Amino acid sequence: MSSTLQARTGRHLQRYENHFRLVAGCIPYRINRHVDNPTGDLLSMLEVLMITSPNQHDLVFPKGGWENDEAMDEAASREALEEAGVRGIIHDSLLGVWEFRSKSKQNLCGQEGACRGYMFALEVNEELEFWPEQSTHDRKWLNVWEAWKLCRYDWMREALNSLSILITGKPVRLVAVPEISESTSLFCLVKPSGTECVDSAINAFC
C-alpha cells in the first residue's frame, strides 16, 4: 500500500540566494524512557531518526528545498513528513545554518551544487506507516552515539551536537562514546513493509 500524501516535485518554487540553493531540514528526535538507563541520564534516552539516501550508502537527516510559498520551519516539517514519514513539534530556534555541496555535485569545482541548509529539531509525536517517499527512503531510530558515528559530514555532526545541547544540555562530542555491541543493527535497516533487512556499506564511514 502506498501513501495518499504526495511529495512535492520540481524546483520551480525553489528559493536561491547568492548562488546558494536554500535547503531546510530537521533532526527528528524522541526521548526513549524504556532503554536500560540506571542513572536516568537524558542523553542516554535521546534518539534521533535517520533515513537512507537514494543511490548512496549512508544515512542522513531529512532535508530538501525551501520553496517560495512556505516558511522555513514549514519546509523542514514537510521534508520530515515526505522523506521520513513523521510529524511532530518543531522547535522555533534553529540548530544552525551550514553551507555544503549537494551529494551529486561533490566532485565539481565552482559554485555549482552549493547549498545553504537551515536545520531544526523536530520532536516526533506521530510515525506514519506509509509516506510519500517510502520507496526511496528507509528510516531507523538511533541513539546519539550511533548517529554520531554514522554522520558522514562534519556539518551533520555539528547539527547533532547542537540538538544534544538543546535537549539535554550536554554535547555529544565531549562525552565518551560507549562501545557499540555487535548486536546493535547499525547496518541493517528494516524496510517499512516488513521485508528483509537492507544491507548497507555504512560502516565505511564510521
Side-chain angles (χ1 to χ4, degrees):
M1 184 181 295
S2 61
S3 171
T4 57
L5 299 170
Q6 297 295 318
R8 291 193 178 196
T9 58
R11 294 192 177 179
H12 57 287
L13 294 177
Q14 172 66 56
R15 293 177 188 251
Y16 292 89
E17 183 178 90
N18 297 328
H19 305 290
F20 285 94
R21 178 180 178 233
L22 301 187
V23 170
C26 63
I27 302 182
Y29 76 91
R30 68 184 181 188
I31 302 298
N32 184 354
R33 302 188 183 278
H34 301 292
V35 298
D36 184 15
N37 181 26
T39 64
D41 179 36
L42 189 59
L43 185 61
S44 297
M45 294 187 281
L46 178 61
E47 295 181 342
V48 299
L49 188 67
M50 300 185 77
I51 59 173
T52 56
S53 181
N55 304 316
Q56 299 284 334
H57 297 298
D58 57 354
L59 291 177
V60 296
F61 300 121
K63 68 181 187 309
W66 174 20
E67 300 191 342
N68 289 327
D69 63 342
E70 58 188 351
M72 188 190 303
D73 58 343
E74 292 174 338
S77 295
R78 173 178 56 77
E79 291 295 337
L81 177 62
E82 291 178 355
E83 295 187 345
V86 292
R87 292 189 176 103
I89 301 170
I90 199 158
H91 287 245
D92 293 332
S93 57
L94 281 167
L95 294 176
V97 182
W98 289 271
E99 294 179 356
F100 50 86
R101 193 180 300 276
S102 65
K103 289 188 291 293
S104 62
K105 308 293 184 181
Q106 287 292 313
N107 297 322
L108 298 181
C109 298
Q111 295 179 321
E112 186 175 358
C115 299
R116 179 175 292 136
Y118 301 84
M119 296 295 293
F120 292 84
L122 178 77
E123 182 181 5
V124 173
N125 57 27
E126 182 182 5
E127 291 184 56
L128 304 183
E129 183 178 0
F130 305 103
W131 62 95
E133 298 185 22
Q134 186 172 6
S135 63
T136 54
H137 295 290
D138 294 332
R139 63 189 180 190
K140 185 164 182 71
W141 285 103
L142 303 162
N143 67 44
V144 291
W145 296 290
E146 293 168 341
W148 180 272
K149 288 189 173 185
L150 294 177
C151 287
R152 185 176 184 181
Y153 304 106
D154 288 342
W155 75 263
M156 292 175 61
R157 284 185 287 273
E158 291 172 6
L160 181 60
N161 205 55
S162 294
L163 173 78
S164 179
I165 293 172
L166 175 68
I167 305 304
T168 73
K170 297 179 180 179
V172 180
R173 68 173 66 184
L174 298 181
V175 177
V177 178
E179 289 296 324
I180 299 175
S181 67
E182 293 182 0
S183 62
T184 303
S185 300
L186 285 182
F187 315 128
C188 184
L189 302 180
V190 179
K191 297 283 285 185
S193 60
T195 57
E196 295 298 319
C197 290
V198 180
D199 291 329
S200 174
I202 299 169
N203 52 337
F205 306 116
C206 294

